[in-house]
Amino acid sequence: MAQQLSSKKNNFGLGVSLKNYIRENAGILIGLVLLCIIITIVNPNFLSSNNLMNVLRQTSTNLYLAVAMTMIIILGGIDLSVGSVMAVTGVVTTMSIATWGFPVWVAIIIGILVGLLFGAINGYISATTIIPPFIVTLATMNIARGVAYVMTDGQPVRVMSDSFNFIGSGYLFGFLPMPVLYLIIFLIICYIIMNKTKLGRYMYAVGGNPEAARFAGINIKKVKFFAYTFSGFMAAVAGIVLASRMFSGQPTAGNGAELDAIAAVVLGGTSMSGGIGKIGGTVIGALIIGVLSNGLNLMGVSSFWQYIVKGIVILIAVYADVIKRRKAV
């Protein structure tokens, strides 16, 4: 069992040397470079500093969700509620400031607690019942979105607070967007969890072979509960940052965000069957999704067509994963 845990741990992209990391992710790295070249040829404005910063900001929001989604998919689960949790936390946070008069820091804590609550509900039900995570998170996805609409009557909640707006729109030292700073911090935290703690090793063990993990004395319920609760927390962070960037809480925020997060995870090499995954690969996958969305916008492609393109990308990525696993058997 120890050798299995060690092997699973070594699959984590940020835990190996840079050389090995590049070799293991060569395929998606080449894809990312080629995508950037094609978009630049079509529209040279892609490489402008303002546009690249915009790509980083957009990608950071997706990665808040994707890093937690990686943990859940490694466990063999799924979380469809993250986009809706983004919306409800953004709405609750902005209403706490604009309607209820709470200080910004109190409003942020309230918003995060709401995200943690939805994540804990997902984790508790998924870990203690036989209801599939797909059904559990599908239900909470609808509940969270409904709560956001009911609270706002379908209208945005405007916030005119410089301190709140700085959270998503400000810069550190005049050049580093605040959302990117948060992302760096969370990537380090996730690296420590997955590489330096028993919890990270347990996630790979549970996803790879739940029965073996149970016989090894791993508390599977606690592992699952943590992963889903952490996903709720990250969705709350994403919702608050997005609300700050838009200067308002939008009940429609995060629409399709779960699609982008899952796409980033799958493109990054995480197996939908569980047990195999790399946060480092997820980062590249999210960059591909961010660059693709930005490039399609620069080309003037309709948002309706963008959904089709992203769906095709996910289908190809999952198919490639199935073929790879068959060859490995």
Side-chain angles (χ1 to χ4, degrees):
M1 187 66 186
Q3 291 180 347
Q4 182 184 17
L5 290 177
S6 175
S7 175
K8 296 295 183 183
K9 182 179 178 182
N10 287 336
N11 283 328
F12 187 75
L14 295 181
V16 297
S17 69
L18 180 60
K19 182 179 178 180
N20 289 337
Y21 172 68
I22 293 174
R23 184 172 66 247
E24 290 178 359
N25 296 284
I28 53 176
L29 279 172
I30 292 172
L32 175 60
V33 172
L34 289 176
L35 182 61
C36 291
I37 292 173
I38 293 171
I39 295 174
T40 302
I41 292 173
V42 175
N43 192 326
N45 290 329
F46 172 76
L47 291 179
S48 68
S49 58
N50 287 338
N51 186 65
L52 290 178
M53 282 299 175
N54 187 42
V55 171
L56 285 177
R57 275 192 292 265
Q58 292 175 341
T59 303
S60 64
T61 303
N62 186 22
L63 270 171
Y64 297 150
L65 307 177
V67 291
M69 189 73 75
T70 303
M71 295 180 183
I72 290 175
I73 293 180
I74 285 173
L75 284 170
I78 197 74
D79 188 353
L80 301 178
S81 68
V82 289
S84 296
V85 173
M86 279 181 63
V88 73
T89 53
V91 163
V92 169
T93 303
T94 52
M95 288 190 71
S96 296
I97 299 171
T99 305
W100 304 327
F102 287 114
V104 171
W105 67 272
V106 174
I108 291 173
I109 291 176
I110 293 173
I112 289 176
L113 288 175
V114 170
L116 286 170
L117 175 62
F118 275 98
I121 291 172
N122 287 335
Y124 179 79
I125 297 176
S126 298
T128 60
T129 72
I130 60 173
I131 304 175
F134 179 90
I135 301 300
V136 175
T137 57
L138 179 64
T140 52
M141 176 185 76
N142 285 288
I143 293 170
R145 185 68 66 181
V147 170
Y149 276 113
V150 168
M151 290 184 67
T152 62
D153 198 25
Q155 302 299 316
V157 182
R158 296 283 297 175
V159 175
M160 305 305 293
S161 168
D162 291 339
S163 57
F164 178 71
N165 295 337
F166 179 80
I167 294 172
S169 303
Y171 290 82
L172 180 68
F173 305 127
F175 72 92
L176 181 65
M178 294 303 294
V180 178
L181 173 63
Y182 312 144
L183 174 62
I184 294 171
I185 294 172
F186 287 125
L187 286 177
I188 293 173
I189 291 173
C190 290
Y191 169 78
I192 293 173
I193 291 174
M194 300 300 288
N195 259 7
K196 303 297 183 181
T197 68
K198 290 182 179 179
L199 179 60
R201 296 193 294 273
Y202 290 169
M203 287 184 189
Y204 285 107
V206 172
N209 192 327
E211 288 303 315
R214 184 178 291 107
F215 285 127
I218 296 174
N219 191 324
I220 297 177
K221 292 180 180 180
K222 286 185 178 181
V223 174
K224 289 184 176 181
F225 182 80
F226 169 82
Y228 281 98
T229 303
F230 184 69
S231 181
F233 169 77
M234 293 305 298
V237 172
I240 292 170
V241 171
L242 184 61
S244 173
R245 282 180 54 198
M246 298 190 301
F247 309 108
S248 63
Q250 304 273 357
T252 58
N255 229 347
E258 62 280 349
L259 175 68
D260 287 346
I262 294 170
V265 174
V266 175
L267 280 172
T270 298
S271 173
M272 295 296 291
S273 301
I276 298 173
K278 308 176 287 288
I279 295 291
T282 297
V283 172
I284 302 172
L287 285 172
I288 291 176
I289 296 298
V291 169
L292 179 63
S293 297
N294 181 264
L296 292 173
N297 287 329
L298 291 176
M299 295 175 191
V301 177
S302 167
S303 60
F304 306 139
W305 281 100
Q306 291 186 32
Y307 281 110
I308 297 175
V309 172
K310 290 176 183 177
I312 293 173
V313 168
I314 293 177
L315 186 61
I316 293 173
V318 173
Y319 180 72
D321 173 64
V322 171
I323 297 299
K324 183 172 63 176
R325 288 178 67 86
R326 285 180 179 177
K327 289 182 178 180
V329 175

